[in-house]
Amino acid sequence: SDYPPIGIAEGPQKDAGIADLLVRLVARHLPATNHHYQRANLKRMIAELEAGHEVCVPGLIKTEERTRSMYFTRVPMLLLTPLCLIVREKDRSLYGESDTVSLEEVIRNPALKLGLADGTSFGEPIDAIIDRYKGEKHVYLDRSSTLKRGLLLMIASKRLDYTIGYPWMVEYLAEEIEPSGQFAMLKLKESASPIIWFAACSKSEWGLLRIREIDEVLVQVRPTPEYRSIAETWMPKESLSEYRRLYDE
């Protein structure tokens, strides 16, 4: 998908996203399999998997609903730092004095407009909180794509007040938005643990075979310096030590 810096679809760093590189690392260890790469937004990827097509996705959060129509690897494809709330720096005071906030408390405020990419899962308990407020006027779902850059632009222009995302993704995308330094990131009480992405394939005989193959490869490659280097490619320096601690645990 075009979900920088997980997947980078264009520009000078095209195909150098974390998932782009991990997919090719895994594929290198499966030379007997015919690999075909295709980019799609999250909604299309989910639809292809649910329809039983012969497709695999390198990184999804495992949910009970998704396991009904998809096979997931046992071994994580990627470990991600905890989520954060992304707000305008100049409106930072609207969320209190602490650098940690509760999504449950913030989302109750109808004066603050939340923007999210439709179909995105953040895992529990974040998904459950969002589900309770879907349909409210102050919760906007962008159905056009999974691009976070569009949501950041809407926050900058005051069409939205905040969104949810990963710190390293915000830092990567914010470099393209002038002026610099206009976003603040607040820790979420409901996201203190790392987010785990698994590879997923359609729930079919073909998909089960592929998942077993990918699992075997992940067992081999995850301890290697090459895998660690890819996983840390776009990690901000200030987050690197915490990320390594979470990974080693």
Side-chain angles (χ1 to χ4, degrees):
S1 65
D2 187 12
Y3 196 63
I6 294 291
I8 303 177
E10 56 187 14
Q13 292 156 339
K14 180 181 178 180
D15 297 330
I18 300 171
D20 301 325
L21 298 174
L22 287 180
V23 164
R24 283 163 174 76
L25 173 62
V26 171
R28 256 194 1 250
H29 287 76
L30 296 171
T33 302
N34 183 28
H35 305 281
H36 173 69
Y37 304 102
Q38 182 175 349
R39 291 192 184 275
N41 63 32
L42 179 62
K43 291 186 72 174
R44 181 177 173 184
M45 289 190 291
I46 296 295
E48 294 271 328
L49 288 165
E50 290 178 341
H53 297 165
E54 292 186 352
V55 295
C56 294
V57 175
L60 285 178
I61 292 175
K62 188 188 298 185
T63 66
E64 184 177 348
E65 180 181 357
R66 288 175 176 176
T67 57
R68 298 189 190 108
S69 57
M70 310 169 200
Y71 286 122
F72 286 86
T73 50
R74 292 178 296 101
V75 181
M77 187 76 168
L78 186 63
L79 184 70
L80 303 173
T81 51
L83 294 157
C84 67
L85 208 68
I86 302 133
V87 306
R88 284 183 297 277
E89 175 63 44
K90 62 183 178 182
D91 291 332
R92 165 71 184 76
S93 60
L94 295 175
Y95 304 86
E97 297 180 359
S98 173
D99 66 351
T100 302
V101 298
S102 166
L103 176 63
E104 183 75 68
E105 294 177 5
V106 174
I107 202 172
R108 287 178 190 160
N109 186 349
L112 296 173
K113 191 167 185 179
L114 167 64
L116 298 168
D118 189 25
T120 301
S121 173
F122 299 108
E124 298 299 341
I126 303 292
D127 286 351
I129 296 171
I130 293 169
D131 285 344
R132 288 200 294 274
Y133 289 87
K134 278 183 179 177
E136 298 289 336
K137 291 182 179 180
H138 65 291
V139 177
Y140 167 75
L141 298 179
D142 182 359
R143 293 179 169 83
S144 62
S145 71
T146 58
L147 287 174
K148 285 284 181 182
R149 185 175 185 276
L151 295 174
L152 291 181
L153 287 170
M154 293 176 75
I155 292 173
S157 64
K158 295 190 175 183
R159 294 168 61 194
L160 296 173
D161 294 297
Y162 65 103
T163 188
I164 299 167
Y166 302 99
W168 38 267
M169 177 177 286
V170 178
E171 294 218 0
Y172 176 87
L173 293 173
E175 290 181 1
E176 305 172 5
I177 302 174
E178 297 292 340
S180 61
Q182 62 179 310
F183 301 106
M185 290 175 280
L186 307 175
K187 297 176 183 177
L188 283 170
K189 290 180 181 177
E190 296 89 350
S191 183
S193 301
I195 307 299
I196 302 174
W197 277 9
F198 297 86
C201 297
S202 53
K203 204 156 195 178
S204 63
E205 290 186 15
W206 179 92
L208 182 58
L209 177 60
R210 299 286 87 80
I211 278 294
R212 287 173 175 170
E213 291 176 340
I214 296 169
D215 256 329
E216 290 178 2
V217 172
L218 288 175
V219 170
Q220 298 175 44
V221 302
R222 274 177 55 87
T224 66
E226 182 178 9
Y227 173 91
R228 291 291 290 263
S229 175
I230 292 172
E232 296 175 0
T233 300
W234 298 106
M235 189 68 57
K237 290 181 180 179
E238 59 270 24
S239 303
L240 198 52
S241 60
E242 174 66 7
Y243 179 77
R244 287 173 175 168
R245 184 189 68 79
L246 293 171
Y247 183 93
D248 290 337
E249 287 179 354

